[in-house]
Amino acid sequence: MKKKIFSVLLVLLLLASQFSLFSSCDSVNEKQKFSEYYFDYFDTVTTITGYTETEEEFKSICEEIKTELSEYHKLYNIYFRFQGVKNICVINELVDGKHNVVKVDKKIIDLLLYSKEMYSLTDGKINVAMGSVLSVWHKYREIGLSDPSNAELPPVNVLEEAKKHTDFSKVEIDEENNTVFLSDPQMTLDVGAIAKGYAVERIAEYLINKGITDFLLNVGGNVRTIGMGKDNEPWKVGIENPDTSKQEEVPHIEYLKFSNMSLVTSGCYQRFYEVDGKNYHHIIDPVTLYPGEKYLSVSVLTNDSGLGDALSTSLFLMNIEEGKKLADSLENVEVMWVKKNGEQIYTDGFKNYTFEYKK
């Protein structure tokens, strides 16, 4: 499954002490900060940070989050089967040369319906039916990473042939019966551009519905805050410098503070392989069938992590004018683009969330 794996500095501060006033004395009930780290879900690092009164309470909530993450990880996986799970991998399988109608968990139906919305919103830049093309790039990338001396680009004719099998209308979704069928035998699904962010948002909803607050989820750079940080202030998060030659000197190019929102960054500086001295990353333009070359990174701040995931990828493939028009058409969406020359371009409201970080 394609992933956008980006490290994000989390400058997390303790939640303010809460006081109950009595006539004779003050009673202090202070929450503490706890963090846990995992590398079990979506092939990336997950960080859970929260403020609770006891470590036991924090660990209990973490177990619930891990259970949810594990389920989404298995359901949205395109490479592996799991016992008793009908996931995306099963949908992609061929039996006697054709796909089967597969009855799946409603979480898959909901993801695919949301993907359909994002396909329309981004004018096809987000297309989970691009699996045939992305799998070609994945194959050549894996060879190039394991044996750099023999790294090659996919032949154009192979990519063009694969593109013939990316028609989203061939993804037949039956909401009533919870079934999915790919009517093109050479089509496969790849939900990597949207699944991680979508799952993070669903887990955030789960926590909010249970009354859990003051938590931050960071799943491979998909950051979702729930509640507030220290002194009842917003959480503080840094955006990594996409210019790797300057990361040691300037590790982060912006610092933001926000609450009950999501920050997602897509970039070309981590997941790539090299051919003839040039890097080729994983964000593939469905028109050119090659990696987008306009930016070093695109960061999206919005209320919904799923939307942020979809937008960060699609905006990476659009020019600034087109991207700003899309961002401005949506509520509560702010964007920062980092061009190849290092220039940073913002939507009008992005700077409202930034602050100067002092060590």
Side-chain angles (χ1 to χ4, degrees), residues 185-307:
Q186 296 186 62
M187 171 183 285
T188 57
L189 300 178
D190 186 323
V191 295
I194 196 170
K196 179 153 57 76
Y198 181 85
V200 168
E201 189 62 29
R202 302 288 76 76
I203 293 170
E205 284 183 354
Y206 169 83
L207 296 176
I208 292 168
N209 289 337
K210 294 198 67 173
I212 296 170
T213 188
D214 307 327
F215 265 70
L216 184 148
L217 308 180
N218 177 10
V219 183
N222 285 66
V223 176
R224 179 61 157 89
T225 63
I226 305 164
M228 307 293 280
K230 183 184 178 181
D231 298 327
N232 203 34
E233 292 183 354
W235 295 84
K236 298 178 180 179
V237 179
I239 298 177
E240 188 177 30
N241 189 346
D243 185 344
T244 55
S245 67
K246 298 179 180 179
Q247 281 184 351
E248 186 172 348
E249 179 184 357
V250 183
H252 298 86
I253 55 175
E254 287 288 3
Y255 292 91
L256 286 73
K257 51 185 178 180
F258 54 89
S259 59
N260 297 309
M261 296 183 75
S262 176
L263 176 68
V264 184
T265 297
S266 291
C268 64
Y269 56 98
Q270 287 191 345
R271 295 202 64 185
F272 61 85
Y273 77 115
E274 184 178 314
V275 180
D276 296 330
K278 182 176 179 178
N279 294 340
Y280 292 85
H281 61 82
H282 67 289
I283 306 175
I284 307 302
D285 190 320
V287 176
T288 67
L289 304 181
Y290 270 71
E293 296 189 331
K294 295 180 176 66
Y295 315 107
L296 292 178
S297 69
V298 176
S299 298
V300 176
L301 182 66
T302 184
N303 292 343
D304 187 301
S305 183
L307 177 62

Side-chain angles (χ1 to χ4, degrees), residues 239 256 299 334-336 346-354:
I239 298 177
L256 286 73
S299 298
E334 301 296 343
V335 184
M336 179 184 75
Y346 309 84
T347 51
D348 292 340
F350 191 90
K351 281 290 190 176
N352 294 335
Y353 296 91
T354 63

Side-chain angles (χ1 to χ4, degrees), residues 84-234:
V85 178
K86 295 291 183 68
N87 62 4
I88 301 292
C89 181
V90 175
I91 295 172
N92 284 341
E93 289 178 347
L94 293 175
V95 179
D96 296 329
K98 64 180 182 179
H99 297 293
N100 279 339
V101 176
V102 182
K103 187 175 182 63
V104 296
D105 190 290
K106 189 174 184 300
K107 290 182 174 68
I108 290 180
I109 298 295
D110 291 342
L111 171 68
L112 294 180
L113 291 175
Y114 189 71
S115 298
K116 188 175 182 179
E117 291 179 29
M118 293 301 100
Y119 178 83
S120 177
L121 177 69
T122 64
D123 194 27
K125 293 291 191 296
I126 295 298
N127 182 5
V128 298
M130 278 272 292
S132 56
V133 172
L134 298 178
S135 63
V136 173
W137 275 103
H138 177 79
K139 173 185 175 181
Y140 278 80
R141 188 182 307 116
E142 291 297 301
I143 293 173
L145 290 172
S146 62
D147 186 7
S149 63
N150 288 315
E152 296 180 338
L153 295 178
V156 173
N157 65 309
V158 173
L159 292 172
E160 290 178 344
E161 179 61 30
K163 185 181 180 179
K164 296 177 183 178
H165 308 287
T166 61
D167 182 355
F168 196 98
S169 67
K170 301 293 179 66
V171 182
E172 299 181 10
I173 306 166
D174 185 336
E175 294 182 63
E176 183 176 349
N177 296 302
N178 284 350
T179 63
V180 181
F181 174 61
L182 307 182
S183 59
D184 180 347
Q186 296 186 62
M187 171 183 285
T188 57
L189 300 178
D190 186 323
V191 295
I194 196 170
K196 179 153 57 76
Y198 181 85
V200 168
E201 189 62 29
R202 302 288 76 76
I203 293 170
E205 284 183 354
Y206 169 83
L207 296 176
I208 292 168
N209 289 337
K210 294 198 67 173
I212 296 170
T213 188
D214 307 327
F215 265 70
L216 184 148
L217 308 180
N218 177 10
V219 183
N222 285 66
V223 176
R224 179 61 157 89
T225 63
I226 305 164
M228 307 293 280
K230 183 184 178 181
D231 298 327
N232 203 34
E233 292 183 354

Side-chain angles (χ1 to χ4, degrees), residues 25-56:
C25 64
D26 292 344
S27 174
V28 181
N29 184 19
E30 183 176 338
K31 288 187 176 182
Q32 304 175 67
K33 172 189 170 184
F34 300 98
S35 295
E36 287 200 2
Y37 308 88
Y38 315 98
F39 195 80
D40 303 306
Y41 314 109
F42 293 98
D43 299 328
T44 190
V45 177
T46 294
T47 304
I48 302 173
T49 303
Y51 297 97
T52 57
E53 294 178 9
T54 66
E55 185 174 8
E56 290 74 18

Side-chain angles (χ1 to χ4, degrees), residues 76-87:
Y76 298 163
N77 201 297
I78 68 171
Y79 295 119
F80 302 105
R81 275 176 164 264
F82 298 90
Q83 186 173 3
V85 178
K86 295 291 183 68
N87 62 4

